[in-house]
Structure formats: structure tokens, C-alpha cells
């Protein structure tokens, strides 16, 4: 395993920086790519009477702000499930956040949780797509199966399944960490939001897996 705070990864002649914040900085496009932010999930659970700390939503938006401050992107590409449910009070936090970055291009690829009326996004100058080809990459929310990948018009970037990788230590320690999973024709990003789980995925020998530990990305040999 090779450890680094962030890992540089060249894919199809594009320079990607895999960040410990579970995001990718795409240098040629000056774009940050994230998946499965799930804003509004805290408000959704609290509305149902389930006690969840209020500050989780602000933490995710603050993390986005920190990434913007560090990398100065021109755009953010969100691979679906940006807002978890119907409108709730957490939407107001996003409205305030957006006012701080009015010139930043926001692109949302619709996910299964993105059920808010389009006009709310349009009012905040967020562009909406079911899929979007940018350079060699096809931006989606759901991963494609092997048959669909044969006909894909680009190398797929997606989210949805909140991928994780299981690691074991010599003393029988066991931990599942979020990960970036790069296959031959498709990359699955970890969930950006703090209030999400993860599922250990089965990888092929040809896959490149990068685990995300606190404050560093780990290339799994």
C-alpha cells in the first residue's frame, strides 16, 4: 500500500487528484467531482422524530467550501443524490451557501433521491442532467452493468452504492473504509456526505482501488 494525503491518478490522459475529503479534483476541467452528498438527510430524520446532530449538514457544506478555497475550481459536478428528500429546513443552509459562490458552475446529475422540483435548482443557477458527457468521461448517478458499459459513450463516473473496501490486519483487525473504485470502463466514487453508510464491493483484479482513511488516500495494491 502507498500512503499519501491525496493521490494523483492519470486516466485517459486526464489528471485527477483523489482527495481524502472523498472528492476528485479534475485538473483539465478545473472541476471538483463528488457523489452522494445527501444534504437534507439530517432534517429528514429529525422531522421523523429521530435524534440526529443538527450540524452534520453544515459540516458537509463547510467541506465543500474548504475544497473550493483550496483548489479554486470553476465548476462542481455532483453525481446524484445531492439532496436526500423533499424540501426541509436544511435547504435553507444550501441557499445561504450558494450565495457565497454565485459564479461557481454547479452541475447536478440527477439521482434517485433528487426529487425536489427542478425550479428550486434553476432558481439557484444549478444545471440539471440525467447524464452528461464531459471530455472522455460520462457522468451518471447509477453504475452501469457490464453489458451496458459495452455501449457507453464514455468512461463512466458514478456513485449511488457508497463503495467501501474491507481491510484486515495481522492481529485480525478489520475495518471497512470508503473508497474510489476504478474499473476498465467505470469509476465509482465514495459518498461525500458524512451521514451515509458504505458497502464493501467486490473488485476485479484489473480494478484500481483507493481507500480513504482519515486525512489520507491509500492506494491498495
Amino acid at each position: 500500500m502507498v500512503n499519501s494525503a491525496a493521490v494523483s491518478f492519470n486516466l485517459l490522459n486526464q489528471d485527477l487528484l483523489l482527495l481524502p475529503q472523498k472528492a476528485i479534483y479534475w485538473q483539465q476541467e478545473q472541476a471538483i467531482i463528488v457523489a452522494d452528498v445527501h444534504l437534507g438527510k439530517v432534517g429528514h430524520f429529525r422531522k421523523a422524530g429521530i435524534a440526529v446532530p443538527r450540524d452534520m449538514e453544515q459540516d458537509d457544506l463547510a467541506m465543500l467550501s474548504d475544497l473550493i478555497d483550496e483548489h479554486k475550481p470553476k465548476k462542481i459536478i455532483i453525481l446524484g443524490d445531492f439532496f436526500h428528500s423533499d424540501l426541509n429546513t436544511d435547504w435553507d443552509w444550501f441557499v445561504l451557501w450558494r450565495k457565497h459562490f454565485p459564479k461557481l458552475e454547479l452541475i447536478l446529475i440527477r439521482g434517485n433521491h433528487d426529487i425536489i422540483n427542478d425550479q428550486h435548482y434553476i432558481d439557484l443557477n444549478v444545471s440539471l442532467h440525467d447524464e452528461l458527457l464531459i471530455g472522455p468521461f460520462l457522468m451518471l448517478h447509477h453504475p452501469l452493468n457490464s453489458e451496458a458499459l459495452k455501449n457507453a459513450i464514455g468512461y463512466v463516473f458514478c456513485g449511488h452504492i457508497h463503495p467501501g473496501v474491507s481491510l484486515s490486519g495481522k492481529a485480525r483487525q478489520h475495518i471497512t473504509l470508503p473508497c474510489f473504485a476504478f474499473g476498465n470502463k467505470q469509476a465509482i466514487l465514495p459518498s461525500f456526505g458524512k451521514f451515509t453508510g458504505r458497502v464493501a464491493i467486490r473488485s476485479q483484479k484489473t480494478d484500481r482501488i483507493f481507500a480513504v482513511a482519515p486525512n489520507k488516500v491509500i492506494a491498495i495494491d
Side-chain angles (χ1 to χ4, degrees):
M1 296 187 296
V2 179
N3 294 355
S4 176
V7 171
S8 297
F9 185 56
N10 187 275
L11 179 65
L12 300 177
N13 295 317
Q14 300 297 302
D15 297 306
L16 309 176
L17 191 62
L18 311 184
L19 303 169
Q21 295 90 345
K22 298 183 291 184
I24 293 175
Y25 180 65
W26 180 7
Q27 294 182 25
Q28 281 80 0
E29 283 292 317
Q30 295 180 262
I32 287 173
I33 309 172
V34 297
D36 300 284
V37 182
H38 286 279
L39 290 179
K41 193 171 184 179
V42 169
H44 178 74
F45 275 70
R46 292 182 69 88
K47 190 175 179 180
I50 301 171
V52 179
R54 290 181 180 273
D55 59 356
M56 281 190 172
E57 307 290 17
Q58 296 94 303
D59 287 349
D60 289 334
L61 290 172
M63 184 71 73
L64 278 176
S65 297
D66 289 344
L67 289 172
I68 293 166
D69 183 62
E70 180 177 357
H71 298 283
K72 307 296 190 295
K74 291 183 177 179
K75 67 184 76 168
I76 293 182
I77 304 166
I78 304 160
L79 303 179
D81 287 0
F82 178 64
F83 205 81
H84 182 76
S85 59
D86 292 322
L87 283 179
N88 57 44
T89 55
D90 291 331
W91 180 261
D92 297 334
W93 288 109
F94 174 56
V95 173
L96 288 172
W97 179 90
R98 181 58 168 146
K99 290 179 179 178
H100 288 287
F101 305 101
K103 296 182 180 179
L104 182 68
E105 183 180 359
L106 286 183
I107 299 169
L108 173 60
I109 311 301
R110 291 184 182 88
N112 50 293
H113 280 277
D114 294 309
I115 60 175
I116 292 173
N117 187 283
D118 288 355
Q119 191 60 49
H120 291 290
Y121 287 108
I122 293 169
D123 289 344
L124 294 177
N125 197 24
V126 179
S127 61
L128 301 168
H129 305 268
D130 293 321
E131 61 180 52
L132 182 64
L133 183 67
I134 306 178
F137 302 139
L138 177 62
M139 305 295 173
L140 300 175
H141 175 62
H142 290 87
L144 298 182
N145 60 34
S146 57
E147 192 63 31
L149 279 174
K150 293 178 182 178
N151 300 314
I153 58 175
Y155 184 97
V156 172
F157 273 57
C158 60
H160 182 61
I161 65 173
H162 306 183
V165 59
S166 293
L167 303 176
S168 299
K170 295 181 180 178
R172 296 186 179 180
Q173 310 100 315
H174 183 83
I175 188 172
T176 299
L177 295 174
C179 70
F180 300 93
F182 289 87
N184 285 332
K185 295 185 177 181
Q186 178 168 259
I188 307 175
L189 275 67
S191 57
F192 182 83
K194 285 187 176 182
F195 193 25
T196 57
R198 63 189 68 95
V199 176
I201 58 172
R202 292 183 178 180
S203 59
Q204 305 295 322
K205 290 183 179 180
T206 54
D207 290 354
R208 294 292 308 277
I209 304 297
F210 299 87
V212 184
N215 302 315
K216 62 183 175 183
V217 175
I218 306 169
I220 306 298
D221 297 329

